[in-house]
Every structure is written in structure tokens, then in C-alpha cells.
Amino acid sequence: MHYEIRVDGHMSETLSKAFPELDHVMMAGQTVLFGPVVDEAHLYGLLARCQSLGLRVVEMRQVPE
């Protein structure tokens, strides 16, 4: 499965390194994290990581591979 997680604002390189398994791009005042997600536990772990870093998730969706 591949997912896209959009967070509000532009993430610094330091914050981006907290998600080594995902690529990222910045666009329109948001950072888009994207890449493979192994299973549901991995997905919830990514969301928990966002929350612990104070990132506001504005959208999350599964995308075609």
C-alpha cells in the first residue's frame, strides 16, 4: 500500500528525517509525505509520530502504486 499524508506548513529537514521511510515534497503551504506503508500498525505509527512532533495532519489517503 502507498499512502500520502499532508501536514500543515513546511517541515524542516530535521523533522523530515523523523520519517526516513517516506519521501516528501512541499507545496502550497503544506508538506506531503508519501511512500509505502507496510500495514495498519505502520500507518498508525506514522500518525502517532506526526502527533508527537506537533504536526497537524490535514489529509491522509491511500494512493495507487
Side-chain angles (χ1 to χ4, degrees):
M1 300 181 292
H2 278 69
Y3 271 82
E4 182 179 276
I5 301 170
R6 291 179 179 262
V7 298
D8 198 24
H10 289 229
M11 289 174 48
S12 67
E13 281 302 313
T14 303
L15 275 178
S16 299
K17 289 180 183 176
F19 300 91
E21 68 270 62
L22 299 177
D23 292 319
H24 69 281
V25 295
M26 293 178 229
M27 54 178 31
Q30 297 178 337
T31 302
V32 182
L33 301 165
F34 59 95
V37 175
V38 178
D39 56 20
E40 196 171 284
H42 184 202
L43 179 62
Y44 284 118
L46 290 169
L47 293 174
R49 209 177 312 166
C50 287
Q51 184 178 24
S52 71
L53 292 169
L55 301 172
R56 183 174 163 264
V57 175
V58 293
E59 182 183 7
M60 176 193 73
R61 65 188 179 120
Q62 188 174 357
V63 295
E65 294 189 30

